[in-house]
Amino acid sequence: MTCFFGTEVTVPAAWEPTDTDLLIVPGGGDQLINEPDVLRNLVRAQQAGVIVAGVCTGVMVLSAAGLTKGRPCTTHHLAKAELAAQGGQVIDARVVDDGNLVTAGGVTSGIDLALWMITRECGASIATGVESVMEYEQRGVVWRSS
C-alpha cells in the first residue's frame, strides 16, 4: 500500500483480518474507501469478533464499509458532517467506544485511542505506565456506550 505522502507499507504475508484481536485503520489511507475487498474484510473481521477501530479519516473507511451506520462514532472535525450524512451517530469526544467499534477524532486522538485500548484491555495501571514512558497523558473524553 502506498500512503498519502508516498510512504510504502508492505507485509511479509497475506492479510487475514480475522487473525487478530484489534484492527486499527489510521487516517490518510482514504483510497481504501474505493477498495471493495478491504471493505468486505473489515466487515468480516468485525463479524468474527475483532474489535475494529478507526483514527481520524480512517473512520471514513469504516463508514464506507457500513460499520458506523447507526452507531456512536467520531472522526476528524472536518469530516464529522460527512460521517453523520453517511449514517453515523456522531459524538463530540476524542474517543468513542461502542464495544467492537472504537473511533477517534483527529490524528493525535489516535494516541488517546491506543491508551484507552490499553486501559480497557489491560488495566489502568499498565496504561499509566505506558503514559509515563511516552511522557504523554491521556486527554479529553472517552465516550462509552452503556
Side-chain angles (χ1 to χ4, degrees):
M1 173 176 145
T2 302
C3 298
F4 190 74
F5 292 109
T7 302
E8 290 188 23
V9 178
T10 59
V11 293
W15 177 46
E16 180 45 58
T18 61
D19 285 347
T20 189
D21 298 317
L22 173 64
L23 179 64
I24 301 176
V25 178
D30 302 344
Q31 67 273 18
L32 295 177
I33 289 170
N34 300 313
E35 295 290 336
D37 289 340
V38 170
L39 302 179
R40 279 191 295 274
N41 279 323
L42 289 169
V43 171
R44 191 165 63 89
Q46 193 175 65
Q47 290 172 340
V50 173
I51 298 166
V52 177
V55 177
C56 195
T57 57
V59 177
M60 300 312 295
V61 176
L62 303 182
S63 180
L67 298 179
T68 61
K69 190 167 188 169
R71 296 190 67 181
C73 54
T74 194
T75 188
H76 189 277
H77 68 97
L78 295 177
K80 284 182 177 179
E82 184 180 351
L83 182 60
Q86 293 177 9
Q89 180 189 342
V90 177
I91 304 292
D92 188 25
R94 285 181 67 82
V95 177
V96 174
D97 182 343
D98 191 34
N100 66 354
L101 176 68
V102 184
T103 55
V107 68
T108 60
S109 299
I111 299 169
D112 295 305
L113 182 145
L115 289 167
W116 168 247
M117 293 308 302
I118 293 168
T119 301
R120 176 178 140 169
E121 300 298 320
C122 303
S125 63
I126 293 176
T128 301
V130 172
E131 285 180 338
S132 178
V133 169
M134 293 176 57
E135 296 185 359
Y136 180 88
E137 294 180 13
Q138 291 183 62
R139 57 180 289 242
V141 174
V142 174
W143 183 96
R144 295 189 304 176
S145 59
S146 46

